[in-house]
Amino acid sequence: MSAVNAKAAFFFLKEAGRHFNDGGRICTLVTSLLGAYTPFYSSYAGTKAPVEHFTRAASKEFGERGISMTAIGPGPMDTPFFYPAESVDAQAYHKTAAALSAFTRTGLTDIADIVPWIRFLVTDGWWMTGQTILVNGGYTTK
């Protein structure tokens, strides 16, 4: 998990800094679990936390070239990957957490809810560099 979530992101950002044109835009994906106090996800959130810092650091390192860097932290995504990877207890937790917010439907985030935010951050929202935005309907905050 560390190789996929943290190490791959580090090397991606390193190479992006070498190859992106001045004025480029990069949006990394982290997780809303970075704003949660929850069981079940220590290794997942723990391997996404470095990506948040890599994004902040890269925003400073690449900022003089006008390259903006932002991290999006969606809530648990409603994808075919989610269900087989989650225990019954974890799925129940998400439903309970979703019930605490009037803005989440199932506790899961639909991909269509995230795409407009990424589009915004790599176009008009370029100036929000170095930030982590948790886009999750109030599932977690930070």
Side-chain angles (χ1 to χ4, degrees), residues 42-72:
S42 61
S43 59
Y44 179 70
T47 60
K48 285 293 197 172
V51 181
E52 180 180 33
H53 182 73
F54 299 157
T55 302
R56 272 195 310 268
S59 76
K60 290 289 189 184
E61 293 173 20
F62 306 153
E64 65 186 30
R65 295 180 38 216
I67 297 174
S68 71
M69 306 278 304
T70 311
I72 284 282

Side-chain angles (χ1 to χ4, degrees), residues 81-140:
F81 170 78
F82 176 80
Y83 296 98
E86 298 300 319
S87 68
V88 172
D89 290 339
Q91 289 182 37
Y93 170 80
H94 293 302
K95 288 180 183 175
T96 302
L100 299 176
S101 172
F103 297 102
T104 57
R105 295 174 292 277
T106 64
L108 300 180
T109 303
D110 190 278
I111 292 170
D113 296 332
I114 303 303
V115 170
W117 287 95
I118 294 173
R119 279 193 188 121
F120 172 72
L121 291 169
V122 299
T123 58
D124 295 339
W126 62 268
W127 48 269
M128 291 179 63
T129 192
Q131 303 295 311
T132 299
I133 320 277
L134 303 183
V135 180
N136 60 37
Y139 177 78
T140 62

